[in-house]
Amino acid sequence: NYIKLFPHELPTSERLAQAGALYYNKNDFTQALKYFKTLLKHFAESPDYEYAHYLTMESYFGKLDYKSCEIVAKRIRLLGGNREFIEKAEQRLAESIFLQAEGLANAEQHTRAGEEYRRVYEEVPKAEFADLALFNAGLEFDKAREFSRAVETYTIIKEKFETSPHYLSALNNMAYDYGELQDYLNAAITFELAAD
């Protein structure tokens, strides 16, 4: 009622945030988004603006709309502000890209899946599962028989993630990929590195 009676007054933004949060807490993300998006569109000066951005991102993630979640997470990073929100946006960005890649892999779109998995590292290089994303990217490029792209991806693991549990498997796959490319010298060198 307050929103209907006073649609353009600043305290309305607080009511919008409260209404959105109520729906969000009940996992009704579609309704929550309606309120948060209204707040973001009409009340950029509101003290609840950052919070609404954060819960908009979380609502999209709850709806499994990873593309929209990714867009909002990038916007939160650009806006700066609350450090906690930015860190959560980084995490959601990496998770959203990873889950989109997983969907493509399940649909057997191996090249696109490889590109998306690789994008996790490119967008959020410090993501806690960046090494897994790169390894999965290499596997998808292998399935697509794009061996040079697979080698390039496994090379990142070799150079940046020496302590990763996927390190040895990446070296092994890279050596076989060099074999597929008939680059037997590099295949041998990579096998030796794995043995060491």
Side-chain angles (χ1 to χ4, degrees):
N1 287 337
Y2 189 97
I3 294 165
K4 284 178 185 172
L5 291 170
F6 308 104
H8 303 294
E9 297 192 16
L10 190 57
T12 300
S13 67
E14 191 179 335
R15 303 293 88 75
L16 287 165
Q18 290 168 338
L22 282 171
Y23 282 113
Y24 174 81
N25 290 330
K26 296 201 177 295
N27 294 329
D28 187 346
F29 303 118
T30 303
Q31 285 298 316
L33 282 165
K34 183 172 79 172
Y35 289 97
F36 294 138
K37 285 162 95 175
T38 302
L39 189 158
L40 294 173
K41 184 176 180 183
H42 298 289
F43 296 98
E45 74 285 359
S46 167
D48 295 304
Y49 189 77
E50 278 186 80
Y51 179 66
H53 255 114
Y54 170 71
L55 286 184
T56 298
M57 174 186 72
E58 293 292 274
S59 296
Y60 280 126
F61 195 81
K63 276 183 70 174
L64 311 181
D65 182 351
Y66 302 123
K67 193 68 188 162
S68 297
C69 182
E70 178 187 341
I71 291 165
V72 178
K74 285 181 177 177
R75 194 174 304 142
I76 290 170
R77 280 197 324 184
L78 284 173
L79 288 172
N82 186 314
R83 187 73 217 149
E84 190 180 323
F85 291 164
I86 293 169
E87 286 171 10
K88 191 63 176 181
E90 293 270 325
Q91 180 186 337
R92 285 295 188 228
L93 176 59
E95 291 168 344
S96 294
I97 297 169
F98 190 94
L99 291 166
Q100 289 176 82
E102 206 170 62
L104 291 166
N106 290 337
E108 298 192 13
Q109 295 182 37
H110 301 301
T111 301
R112 286 190 58 214
E115 289 165 352
E116 283 296 288
Y117 278 127
R118 176 111 180 231
R119 207 160 62 83
V120 172
Y121 172 75
E122 291 164 357
E123 296 273 355
V124 191
K126 293 186 176 156
E128 65 180 88
F129 49 88
D131 59 331
L132 172 62
L134 285 167
F135 185 70
N136 286 355
L139 292 177
E140 292 300 318
F141 288 136
D142 283 339
K143 289 176 188 173
R145 303 192 59 75
E146 294 201 27
F147 300 115
S148 57
R149 291 180 83 182
V151 165
E152 185 184 301
T153 303
Y154 292 133
T155 300
I156 298 170
I157 297 173
K158 183 182 101 176
E159 293 173 356
K160 306 276 186 187
F161 297 96
E162 287 183 15
T163 59
S164 167
H166 308 290
Y167 182 77
L168 283 176
S169 296
L171 286 180
N172 186 59
N173 291 358
M174 187 163 75
Y176 279 110
D177 289 340
Y178 275 129
E180 290 287 344
L181 294 167
Q182 297 182 353
D183 184 350
Y184 302 117
L185 177 61
N186 275 319
I189 291 167
T190 307
F191 277 129
E192 282 184 336
L193 179 61
D196 289 342

